[in-house]
Amino acid sequence: MRNRRELFTALLKPKQKGFMPLPPYNSNRFLFSEFCGQCITQWQEQTPCVRVCEEIYNKESKSGILKIADNKVYIDFTSSGCKLCGECARACPKDVLEEESTKEQNPNWNFVVKINALTCLAYHKTLCCTCKDICYSILGKNQAIAFSGLFYPEIQENCIGCGECIGACPARAIVLESKE
């Protein structure tokens, strides 16, 4: 561990066994579990969706947010959020990620974004609105994080699940929970 913040973040981070946030535009989870592993076996670390994601983020000197672990592609919001550009769906050779969903602007995430009140700085009366600021820059006036007064942030229904707030939160209080 590099510093105390990372140590305490690791200790306080809630453990979610077996949950992996899947890439956007996947409404049929059966197709994902059935065919995504075949792509990984065929292309190894350079599956078409991961490769195109890397290309998009390399333009900004960042690494892509699609990663591979346990023979599955998952999304990692620690470095950046999803641009919801739809390139991963267009690159998917098995149509596991549905290109039609990109036109409808429906990412079909397998998670919901939540704020952990135990680790959130604002819930502990520390003036912090980093999540609200980043959300405002993404969604504009339709921001998905609202505060009650100066404290107590809440994720609103209009959250698009882009994940920009996750990496920006200094306390790592914004988490993903499996959608039922």
Side-chain angles (χ1 to χ4, degrees), residues 7-50:
L7 172 67
F8 289 117
T9 299
L11 292 174
L12 293 174
K13 187 175 183 180
K15 306 287 188 264
Q16 293 185 344
K17 296 176 184 170
F19 173 68
M20 291 181 100
L22 299 179
Y25 311 115
N26 174 270
S27 60
N28 188 337
R29 307 291 183 247
F30 172 77
L31 289 177
F32 187 84
S33 62
E34 187 71 23
F35 295 114
C36 193
Q38 293 175 7
C39 267
I40 294 169
T41 303
Q42 182 178 357
W43 283 291
Q44 306 303 320
E45 294 294 317
Q46 287 299 314
T47 60
C49 60
V50 172

Side-chain angles (χ1 to χ4, degrees), residues 63-118:
S63 79
I65 59 173
L66 289 182
K67 310 287 184 203
I68 297 176
D70 299 330
N71 209 32
K72 291 183 181 175
V73 175
Y74 71 98
I75 198 157
D76 179 13
F77 289 127
T78 55
S79 63
S80 185
C82 184
K83 298 179 182 317
L84 297 172
C85 64
E87 291 301 318
C88 56
R90 287 188 261 299
C92 182
K94 306 265 188 195
D95 291 328
V96 172
L97 304 179
E98 301 159 351
E99 189 174 353
E100 193 62 35
S101 294
T102 65
K103 296 172 188 161
E104 300 167 9
Q105 292 293 306
N106 182 8
N108 287 316
W109 296 113
N110 72 327
F111 60 81
V112 292
V113 181
K114 300 277 184 173
I115 296 176
N116 182 345
L118 293 175

Side-chain angles (χ1 to χ4, degrees), residues 112-166:
V112 292
V113 181
K114 300 277 184 173
I115 296 176
N116 182 345
L118 293 175
T119 56
C120 177
L121 296 175
Y123 269 90
H124 294 283
K125 307 293 191 261
T126 300
L127 207 53
C128 178
C129 57
T130 307
C131 59
K132 182 179 179 179
D133 292 342
I134 196 84
C135 190
Y136 184 78
S137 69
I138 301 298
L139 290 179
K141 292 185 178 179
N142 297 327
Q143 58 191 343
I145 299 177
F147 278 69
S148 297
L150 295 174
F151 307 108
Y152 311 116
E154 292 180 10
I155 306 287
Q156 305 297 303
E157 287 184 24
N158 63 333
C159 176
I160 60 173
C162 69
E164 288 287 348
C165 57
I166 294 169

